[in-house]
Amino acid sequence: PEKDVDASACVPLLRDEKLSDEDFIDLCKEGTPEMVRQALKSGSNLRARDDDARTALMWAAWENTNPGVIHELLSAGASPDTRTANGETALMYAAQFNANPEVIKTLLAAGANPNARTDDYGDSVLMKAAASNVNPEVIKILLSAGTDINAKGQFGRTALIWAADENDNPEVLKALLAAGADVNAQTEADPFAHTAAGWTALMYAAQKNNAEMLKALLEAGTDPKAKSNDCWTALMCAAGSGNAEAVKILLSKGADVNAQNKEGQTALMMAAECARIEAVRALLSAGANAQIQDENGHDALWYAQSPSEEEEFSGEDSAAVVRLLQDGAKQKEPQKNQ
């Protein structure tokens, strides 16, 4: 849908005057093709840039859903592959923020590079789209233009991993899977997220309460038992985030309920520490061993009695988890002969 534009906001155009660079960029964000054409005829600067070196075309690609505006700027001589200091292009902004596929098509038809990468993190056009654009048609158009579906950016992230981690629309992830994205691709160590190498899209998706995304990844053949370099599993990610439904889905597909990471922690310990009562119940029902100890000799009950300060939960939740684990321990005690 195209935005309605208030002509009163474009008074300089009505007087047929040249716009300042700032006003011209603002016009390109929301104006009509006719307004942009008139501004250019009046001498407005086609190559205007803001303080971050973004051009009028970049801003139009970012915010204006009317492909006609993009066409006017390109026809006037704007280059689709002009880059910012970080190497960002108009196509990257459109792919990331503009849900109208026609804007993407217009830029590609003008020769925009579908495999351009940023200079700082090496993010590709497809990665930008996968992380932020909710329209799966944008993904499909980029793929049809020949973008590399399994290219890796900073910390080894692929477009599929970006979609699993950042995009809430499972249809975007499904579009990537349907096109052959590597479902078991693993990341490199990420010091900013404090994660070791070896994370998969499934692990990122497990942290989110999006059952459809998890199911899509599992149906596409991702390994539910895969471990990162520090032996984290998707089940641990789900349990620590308190996603009981995700826990159940992963267990139904063969996730190892008693797997331990390098510190000896299990999914049950993580759920208990964060007082995730439904996740704890699901894990115990699937056979989680509450007696397993970590490298410091602590079991799940200890974690429940030493709740994480970083998580938000009520004291009642914590107490309920403690009772649940204590009751389970009592049931497993050997019965004395009467």
Side-chain angles (χ1 to χ4, degrees):
E2 298 178 5
K3 297 180 181 178
D4 293 329
V5 179
D6 181 4
S8 65
C10 305
V11 172
L13 289 183
L14 302 180
R15 294 200 301 267
D16 197 28
E17 293 181 357
K18 174 183 176 180
L19 296 179
S20 68
D21 285 359
E22 182 178 358
D23 285 343
F24 181 62
I25 287 174
D26 286 342
L27 175 68
C28 291
K29 293 177 183 178
E30 298 186 359
T32 65
E34 295 74 21
M35 290 176 174
V36 171
R37 189 183 313 124
Q38 183 177 345
L40 290 168
K41 286 182 179 179
S42 300
S44 298
N45 183 11
L46 177 67
R47 292 169 177 76
R49 291 187 181 239
D50 65 10
D51 292 340
D52 294 315
R54 297 188 186 100
T55 65
L57 180 62
M58 291 175 187
W59 276 109
W62 185 338
E63 295 195 8
N64 203 314
T65 57
N66 188 336
V69 170
I70 306 297
H71 179 73
E72 287 295 333
L73 293 168
L74 291 168
S75 296
S79 171
D81 285 325
T82 297
R83 301 164 74 91
T84 65
N86 289 333
E88 294 159 320
T89 66
L91 184 60
M92 287 181 186
Y93 285 113
Q96 187 170 4
F97 299 112
N98 202 314
N100 187 351
E102 295 304 316
V103 170
I104 309 294
K105 289 180 180 179
T106 302
L107 287 164
L108 288 170
N113 182 4
N115 284 306
R117 299 280 202 109
T118 59
D119 295 331
D120 50 3
Y121 300 127
D123 293 335
S124 69
V125 176
L126 186 63
M127 292 172 201
K128 296 273 190 183
S132 302
N133 203 311
V134 297
N135 190 343
E137 292 306 312
V138 170
I139 298 292
K140 294 175 185 178
I141 290 168
L142 290 171
L143 290 171
S144 67
T147 187
D148 185 351
I149 194 171
N150 289 316
K152 291 193 172 188
Q154 189 181 42
F155 309 129
R157 282 179 167 238
T158 63
L160 184 68
I161 288 172
W162 274 113
D165 188 23
E166 298 287 344
N167 204 312
D168 291 329
N169 185 358
E171 296 305 317
V172 170
L173 181 136
K174 289 179 182 179
L176 291 164
L177 291 173
D182 182 357
V183 75
N184 287 313
Q186 294 181 299
T187 63
E188 300 166 3
D190 185 344
F192 296 105
H194 305 292
T195 56
W199 274 55
T200 64
L202 186 68
M203 293 175 188
Y204 286 102
Q207 296 180 119
K208 295 159 57 174
N209 193 19
N210 194 320
E212 191 174 352
M213 192 174 285
L214 264 183
K215 290 176 181 177
L217 287 165
L218 289 163
E219 289 171 4
T222 189
D223 182 3
K225 295 182 180 181
K227 294 184 176 183
S228 66
N229 284 19
D230 56 356
C231 295
W232 272 68
T233 66
L235 184 63
M236 293 173 191
C237 296
S241 298
N243 296 329
E245 185 176 11
V247 166
K248 293 175 183 177
I249 291 171
L250 289 164
L251 289 170
S252 72
K253 295 297 183 178
D256 185 351
V257 72
N258 289 314
Q260 293 175 270
N261 64 18
K262 282 194 173 180
E263 295 177 345
Q265 297 166 319
T266 64
L268 182 61
M269 293 175 189
M270 295 170 189
E273 181 181 28
C274 301
R276 308 301 192 183
I277 183 68
E278 293 305 320
V280 169
R281 284 198 181 102
L283 290 163
L284 289 172
S285 296
N289 184 351
Q291 309 305 314
I292 292 176
Q293 296 182 345
D294 66 14
E295 62 182 11
N296 295 312
H298 300 141
D299 60 14
L301 181 59
W302 181 90
Y303 278 90
Q305 293 171 331
S306 307
S308 170
E309 296 179 358
E310 298 178 1
E311 300 291 338
E312 294 182 5
F313 52 85
S314 70
E316 293 180 359
D317 290 338
S318 183
V321 170
V322 169
R323 288 195 299 271
L324 188 60
L325 290 168
Q326 288 175 331
D327 290 344
K330 290 178 181 178
Q331 292 174 9
K332 292 187 176 181
E333 288 178 358
Q335 299 296 313
K336 295 181 179 179
N337 295 326
Q338 299 294 325

